[in-house]
Each structure stands twice: as structure tokens, then as C-alpha cells.
């Protein structure tokens, strides 16, 4: 039985998430909030910079505070992105070319 494990994110010893379940991360000083597709919101004691180093290429940093899973982006506007759940997140001017 060779089961394929979906891409996942492990940060430290406490946090384990499947990449496809994470909509986006929001940084707040030394903490990062994880917003999941189920509507659940978790908090971890890691900076968003450290979290960004652990993610795969499916995530894009759109501002100092936000790291977004590309598969949940519904529309990209000039100044913001709209996610599938209708959340609106701002895009930093210097990060517009990364999306």
C-alpha cells in the first residue's frame, strides 16, 4: 500500500497542516494566524517570515502581513486580492509583480 501524502506544512513540533487546507496566513508581530478553508482560525508563535520559508511555491507573499495560497485567489485587482470566501486582502505596491 503506497499512499501518496498530500503536500503539508510542518512548523516546529506543534503545527501540522495540509497545504490545500490553508487559505492564508496573517502575521502580527511574533505571531501568525492561520486561516483554514473550514473557517477555523489558528494562531502560532512564529513570525510570518519564518512561516514563509517553510511553505511551498503554492503560496505567495502579497504584503508584509499576508501570505496567500494561490489556489484560493478568486480575483486579483490592482490593490487587493479577493479570495474564494470573499475575503479581501491588500497587495503591497512592491509585491504586485510577484502575484
Amino acid at each position: 500500500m503506497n499512499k501518496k501524502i498530500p503536500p503539508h506544512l510542518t512548523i516546529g513540533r506543534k503545527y501540522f497542516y495540509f497545504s490545500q487546507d490553508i487559505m492564508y496566513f496573517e502575521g502580527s508581530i511574533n505571531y501568525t494566524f492561520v486561516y483554514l478553508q473550514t473557517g477555523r482560525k489558528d494562531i502560532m508563535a512564529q513570525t510570518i517570515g519564518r512561516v514563509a520559508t517553510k511553505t511551498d511555491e503554492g503560496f505567495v507573499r502579497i504584503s508584509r502581513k499576508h501570505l496567500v495560497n494561490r489556489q484560493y485567489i478568486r480575483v486579483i485587482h490592482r490593490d487587493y486580492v479577493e479570495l474564494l470566501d470573499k475575503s479581501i486582502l491588500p497587495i503591497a505596491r512592491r509585491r504586485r509583480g510577484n502575484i
Side-chain angles (χ1 to χ4, degrees):
M1 295 263 198
N2 194 4
K3 287 186 178 181
K4 185 175 179 185
I5 299 173
H8 63 279
L9 174 67
T10 305
I11 301 171
R13 288 180 263 155
K14 292 183 179 182
Y15 311 108
F16 178 87
Y17 299 99
F18 289 108
S19 295
Q20 74 265 11
D21 295 339
I22 301 169
M23 291 183 62
Y24 67 96
F25 296 97
E26 182 178 29
S28 179
I29 308 174
N30 289 327
Y31 296 94
T32 300
F33 294 97
V34 183
Y35 291 84
L36 303 171
Q37 71 172 2
T38 60
R40 196 172 100 197
K41 176 181 166 182
D42 289 345
I43 187 170
M44 60 176 70
Q46 301 282 333
T47 64
I48 196 161
R50 174 166 272 169
V51 171
T53 63
K54 305 285 185 182
T55 59
D56 58 25
E57 64 279 348
F59 288 85
V60 62
R61 186 90 179 253
I62 62 167
S63 68
R64 183 184 291 188
K65 285 182 71 167
H66 297 102
L67 178 66
V68 179
N69 190 336
R70 290 179 193 268
Q71 72 184 29
Y72 289 104
I73 295 176
R74 183 170 165 242
V75 180
I76 300 172
H77 296 278
R78 184 173 179 268
D79 297 330
Y80 64 92
V81 294
E82 183 178 341
L83 303 182
L84 293 176
D85 71 341
K86 306 241 178 1
S87 298
I88 304 237
L89 303 175
I91 301 173
R93 280 187 303 241
R94 68 185 187 102
R95 300 214 188 241
R96 284 184 190 144
N98 296 345
I99 301 174

